[in-house]
């Protein structure tokens, strides 16, 4: 069964460092998303991506964040200068057709720890 | 804008007892609703979804949910709890304000199953 994969599963970094979180969405999917979940809190939307551009972003997704689909298969989230408060689980998701009825498939997440 | 509330951040049931996890939504248009489960240290897995085809929705692992428009509810139930059901459960609504349809999650309910 197709699945969304994410690497690494756990990333530890120093405050101020750049990190890149990687995701491989399901191959025929067209819409891509990043969410994050701070420990003990709910899952929050960060950004959606379609047709090689950002379609929507939340207030959390400031200038320190960027997304890219560099090669038609990977989907990356970059944090330029990490802060302590960026420590969270980051989930990638993808879905196929347009419309709210098609479910998003989530990856297993990357746990980011900023020291 | 759509939103979701979940009554009870933590629910504890005995093995074999009924599981009832509550979810209420707010939406100005007919919603698309989802229940996701998150097992410890894992990603988000779709349990079931409501897309207006039937008000009683059956999902995986014996779970089902009933959409009640008059009560703006989408409660999750399972007749008999199993130890393996211990997890975090998230009710979610698809934000149909845009065609890109991000998912808006509730705060989650942690289910404990007592032997």
């Amino acid at each position: 069964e197709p699945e969304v994969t994410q690497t690494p599963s756990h990333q530890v970094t120093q405050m101020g460092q750049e990190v890149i979180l990687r995701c491989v969405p399901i191959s025929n999917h067209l819409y891509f998303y990043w969410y994050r979940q701070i420990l003990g809190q709910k899952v929050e939307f960060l950004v959606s991506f379609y047709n090689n551009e950002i379609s929507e972003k939340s207030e959390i997704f400031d200038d320190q964040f960027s997304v890219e689909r560099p090669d038609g298969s990977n989907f990356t989230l970059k944090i330029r200068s990490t802060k302590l408060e960026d420590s969270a689980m980051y989930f990638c998701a993808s879905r196929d057709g347009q419309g709210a009825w098609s479910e998003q498939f989530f990856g297993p997440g990357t746990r980011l720890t900023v020291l | 804008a759509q939103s979701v509330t979940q009554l009870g951040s933590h629910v504890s049931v005995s093995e074999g007892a009924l599981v009832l996890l509550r979810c209420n939504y707010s939406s100005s248009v007919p919603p698309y609703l989802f229940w996701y489960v998150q097992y410890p240290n894992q990603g988000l897995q779709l349990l079931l979804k409501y897309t207006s085809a039937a008000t009683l929705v059956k999902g995986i692992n014996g779970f089902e949910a009933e959409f009640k428009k008059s009560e703006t509810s989408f409660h999750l139930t399972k007749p008999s709890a199993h130890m393996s059901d211990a997890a975090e459960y998230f009710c979610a609504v698809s934000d149909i304000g845009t065609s890109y349809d991000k998912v808006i999650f509730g705060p989650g309910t942690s289910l404990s199953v007592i032997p």
Side-chain angles (χ1 to χ4, degrees):
Chain A
E1 186 175 332
E3 59 181 14
V4 177
T5 59
Q6 290 185 243
T7 54
S9 57
H10 191 188
Q11 172 102 40
V12 181
T13 189
Q14 295 290 326
M15 189 170 57
Q17 295 297 303
E18 174 183 287
V19 295
I20 297 176
L21 310 182
R22 291 183 167 79
C23 167
V24 179
I26 294 173
S27 63
N28 63 341
H29 284 189
L30 302 176
Y31 298 83
F32 313 108
Y33 307 82
W34 282 101
Y35 294 80
R36 81 171 185 189
Q37 182 184 29
I38 294 172
L39 186 63
Q41 298 186 25
K42 68 177 181 180
V43 179
E44 303 172 287
F45 168 77
L46 289 178
V47 66
S48 58
F49 191 85
Y50 169 71
N51 200 25
N52 285 319
E53 61 182 22
I54 290 174
S55 45
E56 186 178 357
K57 57 185 180 180
S58 72
E59 294 175 352
I60 304 167
F61 195 89
D62 61 21
D63 291 344
Q64 294 300 312
F65 291 89
S66 63
V67 290
E68 194 177 32
R69 190 160 160 78
D71 55 12
S73 61
N74 291 283
F75 180 50
T76 62
L77 173 69
K78 181 193 290 185
I79 309 175
R80 289 188 184 80
S81 179
T82 50
K83 307 182 187 70
L84 295 176
E85 55 264 36
D86 294 327
S87 294
M89 181 75 93
Y90 288 81
F91 293 105
C92 172
S94 69
R95 67 177 177 86
D96 53 11
Q98 186 173 9
W101 56 87
S102 62
E103 73 179 84
Q104 294 184 18
F105 290 80
F106 285 80
T110 293
R111 180 169 297 285
L112 176 65
T113 302
V114 182
L115 302 176
Chain B
Q2 286 78 17
S3 66
V4 171
T5 57
Q6 292 182 243
L7 184 63
S9 59
H10 189 202
V11 171
S12 187
V13 300
S14 298
E15 190 175 15
L18 171 71
V19 175
L20 171 60
L21 304 182
R22 300 178 187 274
C23 171
N24 288 89
Y25 69 90
S26 172
S27 176
S28 59
V29 297
Y32 296 110
L33 295 159
F34 308 85
W35 274 99
Y36 284 87
V37 61
Q38 183 181 30
Y39 297 103
N41 299 313
Q42 294 190 27
L44 297 160
Q45 181 182 9
L46 182 71
L47 273 178
L48 48 80
K49 63 179 178 180
Y50 167 75
T51 58
S52 75
T55 56
L56 183 62
V57 182
K58 293 187 184 299
I60 61 172
N61 301 338
F63 284 93
E64 62 182 36
E66 185 173 9
F67 173 74
K68 292 187 177 180
K69 184 179 178 180
S70 60
E71 299 177 7
T72 61
S73 69
F74 189 57
H75 301 332
L76 181 72
T77 60
K78 182 174 180 178
S80 177
H82 193 271
M83 295 298 294
S84 60
D85 295 326
E88 189 85 15
Y89 291 81
F90 294 95
C91 184
V93 63
S94 189
D95 181 6
I96 57 178
T98 70
S99 61
Y100 307 106
D101 305 319
K102 64 181 180 285
V103 174
I104 298 169
F105 287 85
T109 296
S110 177
L111 176 66
S112 298
V113 182
I114 304 167

